Structure formats: structure tokens, C-alpha cells
Amino acid sequence: MNDKFSIVKIMRVVLFITFVFFVELAYGQSKKEQIEILNYRIDSLNKVMDVENNKFIINKTQFEIQISNIRDQIMLLDSNLILLKQELSNKQNELYSSKISIGDKSMEIKLL
């Protein structure tokens, strides 16, 4: 009876070890598959990040070009403003000279 009990006990242990081994094996394969899936997801996310990073770089470059163009336009407007102010000053001087000339002519006419 004791031998029969020992054999059953040994068989149960062997069965349990076999069960644990197969569960570990199946679980290990499952983990391996999960790791492969996660690696695929990481690769996909890296590709998405690369695309987004490239878009960002392109947008940043375009923005910097626009800023440069706006600065150039501001400088051009400033130089045009300076020229217009000089032209206005010249016209004001001409007008003042014309007023003086008209005043002188007016005095001559009065004297005549």
C-alpha cells in the first residue's frame, strides 16, 4: 500500500512538473510573441516619430524662411520710408522757397 501510494505520489509530481514545463513553454512562446509584437509597435512608433520629426523640421525651415523674408521686407520698407521722408522734406523746402518767391513777386507787384 505504501508502495502504491509512493508511485501515485511520484506520478503526480512528474505530472505536475510536466504540466509546469508545458505551461512555461507555452507562456514563454506567448511572451516571445508579445515581445515581437511590442518590437513591431516600437518600430511603427519610431517610423511615425521620424515622419513627424521630418514634418516639424520642414515646417521649422519654412517658418525661418518666412521670418527672413519678413525681415527683408521690413528693411526694404524702412529704407523706402527714409527715402519718402527725404522726398517730403525736399518738397517742403521747395514749397517754402516757392512761398518766399511768391511773396517777393507779390511785393514787386505792389510796388509797381
Side-chain angles (χ1 to χ4, degrees):
M1 179 107 157
N2 199 9
D3 288 337
K4 188 177 180 184
F5 183 70
S6 296
I7 292 174
V8 170
K9 207 173 190 183
I10 291 172
M11 287 182 71
R12 283 185 183 170
V13 169
V14 169
L15 183 63
F16 178 74
I17 290 172
T18 306
F19 176 74
V20 169
F21 175 74
F22 283 116
V23 168
E24 258 321 295
L25 185 62
Y27 183 73
Q29 288 175 342
S30 175
K31 281 292 187 187
K32 184 178 178 183
E33 290 172 358
Q34 288 177 0
I35 289 170
E36 288 176 7
I37 290 170
L38 289 175
N39 282 333
Y40 176 75
R41 287 182 181 172
I42 289 170
D43 289 342
S44 296
L45 288 174
N46 282 335
K47 288 178 184 175
V48 168
M49 289 300 294
D50 287 343
V51 168
E52 291 300 318
N53 190 33
N54 289 339
K55 285 180 186 178
F56 175 77
I57 290 170
I58 290 170
N59 287 339
K60 181 182 175 192
T61 303
Q62 290 174 345
F63 182 69
E64 289 171 348
I65 290 170
Q66 289 175 350
I67 288 175
S68 176
N69 289 339
I70 289 172
R71 285 184 180 144
D72 291 344
Q73 290 174 359
I74 288 172
M75 288 175 57
L76 181 63
L77 288 172
D78 283 345
S79 64
N80 285 341
L81 181 61
I82 289 170
L83 291 174
L84 287 172
K85 283 182 178 181
Q86 289 173 349
E87 189 177 330
L88 176 63
S89 178
N90 291 341
K91 294 293 180 182
Q92 286 174 336
N93 289 339
E94 287 178 21
L95 180 62
Y96 181 74
S97 296
S98 295
K99 283 183 181 179
I100 290 177
S101 177
I102 290 172
D104 289 346
K105 298 285 181 191
S106 174
M107 287 296 251
E108 285 180 25
I109 291 173
K110 284 183 185 177
L111 289 175
L112 289 175

